[in-house]
Amino acid sequence: MSPSPVQFQHCPPGDSTRSHGARAQSHKTAPSSDANHKPQVVLPVRLTHWATLAFPGTGLLQEVVYLVSQGADPDEIGLMNIDEQLPVLEYPQPGLDIIKELTSPRLIKSHLPYRFLPSDLHNGDSKVIYMARNPKDLVVSYYQFHRSLRTMSYRGTFQEFCRRFMNDKLGYGSWFEHVQEFWEHRMDSNVLFLKYEDMHRDLVTMVEQLARFLGVSCDKAQLEALTEHCHQLVDQCCNAEALPVGRGRVGLWKDIFTVSMNEKFDLVYKQKMGKCDLTFDFYL
């Protein structure tokens, strides 16, 4: 593997960001939808990193990337604290101290919009993997995530949550802007834009893409083993007994959307994504 060096712009405390639902600390500020407000993350310049990015609701990406890049066993991943191996950049916990201790190349996860990321990441000095998921499944998964965490304490209905999603009133702002920003940079040499549904449709090709992008050299047998391990992770994530309503399934929105909700969502989607040529599979 031959990671690229990255240098992050240093900035005063208070310009960093925090995630949705995360408790604010003195050096954290909430993400803003204002494009002119560009918080920067303070990180040491001596290390390199790969970043995995997505709007909340696509957590499986971090485990697949870790498995491909490190050759880990899915059973080992199930026993470890994946957030320490692939910490979230803007979360107070485990925090920047953990990130600073990681050896190169670092694996870092973030949900931040493109415009809030460190400028050197924009300049191509690190590798970025972005995964987009069809928004109907994503909002269901995001809702279940909020319901599962005591720190979130969300007790509203899914209808209310979905309405907030469509109106850009959830943490990290607008999904519609988030995904379109990264889509505009899909041809950048340091960006790999993936779709969640493709992981279910053609996992072999996705694993090959990840290995090539991350500079992981493997023969046919090793590639088959990696793909099988990733397949186990995907199966675990889609197991309805392990997670509420099987958050990793494609098409899970059909179990919870009403006809009227679906019609409203389609209308909002057309209004906000009508000029974008990015498409999604809502069924497989």
Side-chain angles (χ1 to χ4, degrees):
M1 293 177 281
S2 56
S4 305
V6 59
Q7 295 183 344
F8 286 94
Q9 176 179 338
H10 284 267
C11 61
D15 287 345
S16 298
T17 58
R18 58 179 280 248
S19 80
H20 64 279
R23 186 174 180 178
Q25 294 185 350
S26 60
H27 63 289
K28 304 288 181 180
T29 58
S32 167
S33 59
D34 182 0
N36 295 318
H37 176 217
K38 293 186 177 181
Q40 296 290 326
V41 180
V42 180
L43 285 175
V45 300
R46 60 182 176 81
L47 298 179
T48 60
H49 83 260
W50 298 324
T52 65
L53 302 153
F55 199 85
T58 51
L60 181 58
L61 172 64
Q62 65 178 351
E63 299 188 9
V64 171
V65 169
Y66 184 81
L67 192 154
V68 172
S69 64
Q70 306 297 319
D73 186 281
D75 291 332
E76 295 178 3
I77 293 178
L79 296 174
M80 68 175 59
N81 184 348
I82 192 66
D83 288 334
E84 290 186 1
Q85 306 300 322
L86 214 151
V88 181
L89 186 63
E90 62 271 17
Y91 278 17
Q93 297 296 332
L96 293 178
D97 289 341
I98 293 294
I99 295 177
K100 293 174 183 177
E101 294 174 0
L102 295 177
T103 57
S104 302
R106 294 181 296 179
L107 290 169
I108 302 170
K109 178 181 177 180
S110 178
H111 299 308
L112 293 176
Y114 185 86
R115 61 188 178 275
F116 288 163
L117 295 174
S119 59
D120 282 349
L121 198 149
H122 296 169
N123 297 335
D125 291 329
S126 58
K127 295 185 176 182
V128 177
I129 302 165
Y130 184 84
M131 178 167 280
R133 186 177 186 181
N134 89 65
K136 292 181 182 180
D137 281 345
L138 184 142
V139 70
V140 175
S141 179
Y142 199 15
Y143 168 74
Q144 292 291 348
F145 176 72
H146 275 74
R147 296 273 295 179
S148 68
L149 294 183
R150 286 177 295 178
T151 54
M152 296 289 188
S153 300
Y154 182 80
R155 292 297 177 263
T157 66
F158 175 71
Q159 288 81 357
E160 295 168 346
F161 189 89
C162 189
R163 189 182 308 112
R164 292 179 64 85
F165 179 88
M166 290 187 289
N167 293 329
D168 308 331
K169 299 299 184 182
L170 294 176
Y172 293 102
S174 170
W175 172 87
F176 305 95
E177 294 179 3
H178 196 288
V179 73
Q180 288 182 82
E181 282 185 1
F182 280 97
W183 180 246
E184 291 173 358
H185 291 275
R186 67 191 183 280
M187 301 306 294
D188 293 0
S189 61
N190 70 316
V191 174
L192 178 62
F193 191 102
L194 302 173
K195 294 182 183 180
Y196 185 90
E197 292 73 28
D198 289 341
M199 185 162 47
H200 293 262
R201 177 190 294 102
D202 190 356
L203 185 59
V204 174
T205 297
M206 181 168 289
V207 171
E208 290 176 344
Q209 287 179 300
L210 282 169
R212 184 165 54 249
F213 184 73
L214 295 174
V216 176
S217 178
C218 53
D219 57 27
K220 183 178 179 180
Q222 291 170 325
L223 181 62
E224 290 177 351
L226 273 178
T227 302
E228 177 56 31
H229 286 167
C230 289
H231 185 69
Q232 292 179 37
L233 285 178
V234 174
D235 281 349
Q236 291 169 10
C237 186
C238 296
N239 183 354
E241 295 179 359
L243 292 169
V245 299
R247 285 206 317 255
R249 289 190 294 116
V250 177
L252 67 94
W253 64 272
K254 293 180 291 183
D255 297 336
I256 191 169
F257 269 64
T258 65
V259 173
S260 60
M261 285 176 60
N262 191 47
E263 291 174 348
K264 175 62 176 177
F265 198 101
D266 287 346
L267 179 61
V268 172
Y269 182 89
K270 183 177 181 180
Q271 291 172 343
K272 297 190 176 185
M273 298 289 288
K275 296 181 180 180
C276 181
D277 60 353
L278 172 63
T279 61
F280 289 98
D281 292 313
F282 294 89
Y283 311 90
L284 280 184

